[in-house]
Amino acid sequence: MEDRLSISIKVADRELKLKSRPEEEYFIRQAGAIIAERIDYYRSIGVHDTQDILSMIALDSLVARLKGDEQVQRMQRMVFDKITQLDQSISLNLTP
C-alpha cells in the first residue's frame, strides 16, 4: 500500500485534515496558499461572505484551468502540424 502523509491545511475558516501522497503535498500546500491570497483579495474589495468568496474562487480556478487546457491543446496541435510538415518534407527528400 502506498504511504500517505497526514497533513493539515486551513481553507477559509476550516481546518482540513487530509491524507496525501508525498509527491502531492507541495501542490496541496500551494493551493491552500493561493486560496488564502484570493480570500484576502476578495475581502479587500468588499466581499465578506465566505460562501460567496469560495464560489468566486472556484469559478476563477475553473476558468483558469479551461484556459490552460485550451492553450495546451493549441500547442499540441502546433507540434503535431510541425511534425507532419517535417515528415512530409523528409518523405519528399527520400523519394528517388
Side-chain angles (χ1 to χ4, degrees):
M1 185 171 153
E2 208 171 306
D3 287 334
R4 299 266 182 172
L5 300 174
S6 293
I7 61 174
S8 181
I9 187 167
K10 187 171 184 177
V11 175
D13 57 353
R14 304 272 170 99
E15 190 74 29
L16 304 174
K17 302 216 182 284
L18 306 170
K19 296 273 186 188
S20 148
R21 291 188 302 228
E23 63 271 15
E24 290 181 348
E25 179 187 12
Y26 171 79
F27 297 107
I28 292 169
R29 294 195 185 282
Q30 279 294 110
I34 292 168
I35 290 169
E37 288 174 11
R38 299 303 296 164
I39 288 170
D40 290 344
Y41 166 74
Y42 281 114
R43 286 188 175 145
S44 76
I45 62 169
V47 182
H48 295 291
D49 182 75
T50 302
Q51 286 298 110
D52 288 346
I53 291 171
L54 291 175
S55 296
M56 293 165 91
I57 292 170
L59 186 60
D60 290 347
S61 299
L62 285 176
V63 167
R65 166 73 188 267
L66 292 171
K67 284 180 178 179
D69 288 352
E70 184 178 297
Q71 186 175 18
V72 166
Q73 288 176 352
R74 251 192 333 263
M75 292 294 286
Q76 287 174 335
R77 277 193 301 272
M78 286 173 45
V79 168
F80 180 77
D81 291 346
K82 194 57 150 176
I83 290 171
T84 301
Q85 288 174 354
L86 291 170
D87 186 48
Q88 290 171 349
S89 176
I90 290 169
S91 294
L92 288 175
N93 290 333
L94 293 178
T95 305

